[in-house]
Every structure is written in C-alpha cells, then in structure tokens.
Amino acid sequence: MTGPGSTVPRQFAFTTRAYMAVDDATGEPIGLDDVDIRVGWLLDLVTAAGGELVSRLWQPATFDVLAAGRDRQDRRLPAQGHVAAARLGWNPHYPGGVYVPSRVSRVVTAQVMATLRTMAYRDTAITALSARFDPATGTVAPPTEPRDFVSAGFARGVRRQLIAHSRRETSAQAGRLRITDLQGPPQTSAMARLSVADRQLAQIAAADGGLVLTVKLPTSPTPAGRAQWRRVRLTATIPAHLHGRAVTDWHLPTLILDRKGLLWRCAATEVVPAGDPKTAIVAVGVDWSPSALGAAALAADSAEGLLSDYRGWTYDDRGLGIKLARLQAEGQLLHRKAARLTRLAATAPPEARAELEAKIAVLDEHREAVGVKRGKINRELAFHFGRQVTDYAADAQAQLIAVEDLTTLETRGHGRVNNNRAAQSARRRAVAALAHTAAGVGITVVSVPARGSSALCPGCDGPLARPGGYHDAWCSHCRVGGNRDHVAGVNLAKRALLGRNKVTRRRGQLPAIRVAEHAPVRQCRDKHGPTPRRPRHRRVRRSLPTVTPRLGVTPKQYVPASQASVWDTVKPTPPHGDAGSRDTCLSQAPAIPVADSMRSM
C-alpha cells in the first residue's frame, strides 16, 4: 500500500574496514596484518576452486541447461545459485588433504553460478548473431524474430568477436557458434560473498555504533581439518553518512583485499518514503549531454494541460569531467604503448625480451593505477550529480525524475574522440546514484525512451531548428526554444507524466516507460521552478599589508586586479574622488546583500 506517509524498505551498499580483531574463542587480540593474511588464504581457496569449477563447466551443455532452467527431473532450477548447483551436481574440487567447510563451498558455487548465468545470456545472443553473420562481408543480418533482438552496442561487440574468429579459423563457414567457440572461461574474482552462507560460517550484528562480524578463517594456507578453521571477531565503524538513518537490517558483507588490506562491501536495509508514480503531477527530465554530464528541466500537469517554463538547469561537474578526459587519454596511451611493446617482445631476442617485459609490467601497473583513479572520480561525480538533481527536484516539489533509457542511447556524430569519451562516461553509475539519492526523499526515478527527445518540439512534436548551432533549439511554430538539453529535459518529463500509469517494473532495473506519448506542452511565463544554487567563490582581499611610508616619496598608485568570480559584476561604489589607491581599502560589504538579492530572483 502506498499513500501519504507510507514507507517501503530498500537496500543500499557501503564499504567499511575493520579496526580491531580478536579470537572469538579466547578473546585474545589479533593483528590486522594477520587477519589480512588469513583472509588471503580464504580467498585463495575460493578463487582456485571457483576457477577450476568454471573451467570444468565451460562447455555448451552447461549453457543449454541454464538456458532451459530445468534439472534432470525437469524441475525448475531455484534462484539460489548454490542450491541450483547442488541439484545439478556441480560441486567444487579442492586439493588432496585440504579440508574446506561446506559453507565455503556454498560461497564458491554461488559466485560461479552468478557468472555462468550471466554468460548464458551472452551464449544465447552469440548463437543468434552467428547464424546471421556472413564471414565474407563481416556483416550481421537484421533479426527476423523479436526474441533475437539485442542492443546495438552488444551486437557490435559480438560482431568483432565473430570477425576475429573468422580470421583465426580460415576454413570456418557461416553457421551457429557458441560462446565456448569465441572465448575462454572468464577469470574468477578474488572475493568471498558471505551473504550466501549461514551462521555456521559468518554472522554480523550492530553494537555500540559499530559492526561486529564473526567469521571462520583458516589458520594455514592448506587447512587439514576443522581445528584449523577458527572464528575471528572483527569490529568496524559504521560510516558517518549512515548515522541517523532508519536502518532495519545489516547484511553479511563481501570480503576482498585491496592495497590497504581487508575491505568490507556491505549491504543494509533501510526504510524510505514510498513514491507512487501514478499520483505525480510534477516531473523533472534529465537529459545526458555530450558537453556536461546532464541537464534537467521541469514539466507539470495541471487543469490547463502540461506546462513548463522551458528554463532548465545544467549540472556543473566542477572540472571533474576534464580530469576524467585527461586520465582516459593517458590510459589509452599506456595501453597503446604496452600493446606495441608486446608485439616487439614476440620476435625479440631473449635479452631484449626480458627488458621489454619489464617495461610492459610497469606500463600495466601505471594503467591500473589510472583506472583506479578514474573509478574514484566517477563515483564522486555520480553521487554529486545525484545529490544536485535530487535537490533540484525536491525544491520543485516533483514526484518523478525521468532519465533516458541507456539501453537505447548511443553517442554518434560527434567524432571518434567525443563519441568514445561520452561512451565511457559515468552515466550508468550516475543513474544508480540518482535513484538511490532520490528514493531517500520519496521521489521515483523512471527511464523513458530517448529517441527524438533533443530533436522534437515538446509543444507540436515537430522537428526543431538549430539557429544558433548544435546547443541551440527553436520551434518557429510554437515559438519556444532555448538550450537543446533543456528542451530535451522537457520532452523527457512530458513522457514520464503521460506514461505514469503504464510503468513496468523488472527486478534489478529501474521502473520503465516503454512508449513515448505526445501531448502539447504550453510555455508558462510564471516561474515555478527552483533557482539553481550557485557556489559563491569570491576572492576577497581580507587585509592589506601595512607598509611604513617613506618620507619624501609619493605612494605609487595602482588599480587592483579584477576578481575571478561570477560576482565580479557586483562592484561597490568607491568614495567620491577615489581611484582605488593603496591608501584606501575598498569595502566589500555592499556586494553581499546585492548577491543575495540576485540569488533570490
């Protein structure tokens, strides 16, 4: 039931680290370095067993079973990965003399089944695409049945694999191929998902403002019995941004090791306000922009129809986009260097090959460091974008936020560099951050069709003109226009309001509106949207150095440099007859109330 004041549970993820560890049986403290070593032994066992199981199951019969979803008795496979693997008899193998608890085997099979089920979808798509692939021309014929349709980006990737396979296998003819023909088994990540286990392996509880995790860890790299698996009690702090939130349940984390040691990837369940798209009367449309991460605009449903002021808001990434572009170019340069040295090392003498391999290792390390830095910046950019858009929607009292469907959105026509830069932007992560942040205030994020949002007029649904270039839009019939991204935001908000009664929900995906309907959006002269917050970066000289005037010397006159800020247009009126000399300190007091009045306009 949804209504005013109703709440719903939702899950979210966070990370934390342990600051204290003790032996659960004796209570003796354990060093965190020792804990990292023992967790490393656990991850080695899980990774080795998972890799062996994936290699053993990497055959077409495995994907046939997963695609059918039935076991040998024609029963439907359960959703739990470890239960489905046990029913099919897919059990991991360990080296001789090594004892591993059955709950650890659950972790192994659950992770392997998640990987294989993802690859089963790819196997089905490759089978359908390879049947329509022509090795002579390197093209894939269009699908004839709806079930064979895949996204254009996915089809391009598979097409590249098919072309590479046809070049390797010169005698290969056109026909159906499987995923096992095009690629080898995937690598398994070094992690342990404790959420699939029960209390015999791990349990977690919140106490005294922290999280206490009790988990069984091996005491040797090759444990021979139960005695070499002992419980360790780890204590970690709850992140500060979770204090005061209505968390109802803490879930078992996923354990990984990074450069700083043991990291917990945790999940929790909290209570948030329930949002009902059917009752929405104000919507915010978010358009992905090639020049900025996104722009937003408002549309409202009233008794007179759909209204909008066509005044949008553009996100300011604070220079992070330029930094990401630089890191992307640096990573691509490192990749090209490593690839060239790899080609040279293939035919080089042994002495030169060893030197080249050392250089390749350094380049790979630098490229990995660049990727880690890009990931951190993308996360910061995504959550900052989510918070800014959520504040914009909350100030406008909106109930819906409409984003473009990323599965149908492709960047084309902006050149190779810009297309690649836009394709690697953090849009998907920004959508996830926006959905998480908006749900905290009861606003629902839905995806709407992206086609035509920047090219069609929200009023008459006719093509827009570009009198001022790419970023400009104008409709001569409706006499409305402005920034291209802002007009697109109005279109997206309109589609969300018109399709709010036809929202489809799929597990693990955003609520979606599949059909783009049209209704005229009239321009409203009244300003109902919020004024975007602007950071006040004023460089103000707080004090002037005291200089003792020299006798008989006339002080040098100077004009102070202009302030590098948007508030430079607000200049105080100097005293009568004063030209801004060193002896007179210009007062900045009148700039503050004037700027505040500008902000409130």
Side-chain angles (χ1 to χ4, degrees), residues 183-362:
Q183 63 188 61
Q187 296 182 355
T188 55
S189 302
M191 61 181 181
R193 296 179 180 174
L194 303 181
S195 57
V196 301
D198 54 14
R199 298 175 64 90
Q200 294 189 20
L201 178 65
Q203 52 184 335
I204 191 171
D208 298 333
L211 295 176
V212 180
L213 173 66
T214 305
V215 59
K216 276 188 178 181
L217 296 177
T219 58
S220 70
T222 56
R226 293 185 178 180
Q228 295 185 348
W229 288 82
R230 297 181 61 87
R231 293 184 179 273
V232 176
R233 191 164 64 250
L234 305 173
T235 305
T237 58
I238 298 176
H241 68 277
L242 300 183
H243 295 170
R245 292 171 60 168
V247 177
T248 59
D249 194 10
W250 305 93
H251 305 285
L252 287 171
T254 297
L255 303 183
I256 63 172
L257 286 176
D258 59 4
R259 296 182 178 180
K260 296 182 180 180
L262 177 60
L263 177 67
W264 301 9
R265 289 180 176 173
C266 306
T269 300
E270 67 173 344
V271 176
V272 296
D276 187 9
K278 296 182 180 180
T279 61
I281 57 175
V282 180
V284 173
V286 178
D287 178 68
W288 304 114
S289 172
S291 57
L293 182 58
L298 290 170
D301 190 4
S302 66
E304 303 175 0
L306 297 179
L307 304 176
S308 177
D309 57 5
Y310 286 84
R311 299 175 182 176
W313 165 83
T314 302
Y315 171 67
D316 181 11
D317 60 5
R318 304 166 298 160
L320 294 180
I322 298 177
K323 183 180 292 187
L324 282 174
R326 178 182 62 80
L327 291 175
Q328 178 183 345
E330 182 178 352
Q332 292 174 351
L333 176 62
L334 294 173
H335 177 76
R336 290 195 298 268
K337 284 185 177 181
R340 180 175 179 274
L341 294 182
T342 301
R343 292 193 298 268
L344 294 176
T347 57
E351 298 81 3
R353 183 182 303 173
E355 183 178 354
L356 291 175
E357 290 177 351
K359 292 182 178 180
I360 293 172
V362 173

Side-chain angles (χ1 to χ4, degrees), residues 64-116:
D64 292 338
V65 172
L66 294 178
R70 299 284 176 174
D71 59 6
R72 298 182 183 88
Q73 285 75 32
D74 199 26
R75 296 177 298 178
R76 184 176 180 180
L77 290 177
Q80 295 83 359
H82 65 280
V83 180
R87 183 177 294 180
L88 295 171
W90 297 347
N91 299 317
H93 296 165
Y94 302 97
V98 176
Y99 171 78
V100 177
S102 61
R103 269 60 182 181
V104 177
S105 296
R106 284 189 186 182
V107 174
V108 174
T109 54
Q111 297 179 180
V112 169
M113 287 296 294
T115 302
L116 293 178

Side-chain angles (χ1 to χ4, degrees), residues 318-531:
R318 304 166 298 160
L320 294 180
I322 298 177
K323 183 180 292 187
L324 282 174
R326 178 182 62 80
L327 291 175
Q328 178 183 345
E330 182 178 352
Q332 292 174 351
L333 176 62
L334 294 173
H335 177 76
R336 290 195 298 268
K337 284 185 177 181
R340 180 175 179 274
L341 294 182
T342 301
R343 292 193 298 268
L344 294 176
T347 57
E351 298 81 3
R353 183 182 303 173
E355 183 178 354
L356 291 175
E357 290 177 351
K359 292 182 178 180
I360 293 172
V362 173
L363 291 175
D364 290 341
E365 184 179 356
H366 290 175
R367 185 174 57 178
E368 182 181 357
V370 169
V372 171
K373 187 179 294 185
R374 286 182 63 188
K376 292 181 179 179
I377 296 177
N378 278 331
R379 186 182 185 280
E380 178 185 356
L381 185 67
F383 276 95
H384 184 262
F385 172 80
R387 172 49 58 191
Q388 294 291 320
V389 176
T390 300
D391 291 344
Y392 178 80
D395 292 343
Q397 298 181 357
Q399 299 84 26
L400 276 180
I401 297 179
V403 297
E404 294 177 287
D405 187 3
L406 296 178
T407 59
T408 61
L409 184 65
E410 293 187 57
T411 303
R412 296 174 297 181
H414 307 298
R416 181 179 59 85
V417 175
N418 290 331
N419 288 345
N420 187 24
R421 182 178 301 175
Q424 297 191 34
S425 63
R427 292 175 177 175
R428 193 171 299 276
R429 181 172 291 187
V431 169
L434 175 59
H436 170 81
T437 308
V441 295
I443 302 176
T444 305
V445 179
V446 298
S447 64
V448 298
R451 182 174 298 276
S453 58
S454 300
L456 302 178
C457 173
C460 62
D461 206 31
L464 292 169
R466 311 288 181 201
Y470 176 81
H471 294 284
D472 194 20
W474 173 256
C475 179
S476 57
H477 180 268
C478 303
R479 305 193 64 82
V480 296
N483 184 275
R484 168 193 176 105
D485 299 330
H486 297 168
V487 174
V490 176
N491 267 323
L492 297 173
K494 174 189 71 173
R495 294 174 183 179
L497 290 175
L498 296 178
R500 58 183 179 266
N501 294 324
K502 304 176 183 179
V503 178
T504 60
R505 302 177 182 269
R506 296 182 61 183
R507 182 178 179 87
Q509 297 182 5
L510 285 179
I513 297 173
R514 303 297 182 186
V515 180
E517 301 180 10
H518 169 68
V521 180
R522 187 173 60 86
Q523 185 176 18
C524 179
R525 299 298 180 181
D526 299 332
K527 182 179 181 301
H528 298 292
T531 300

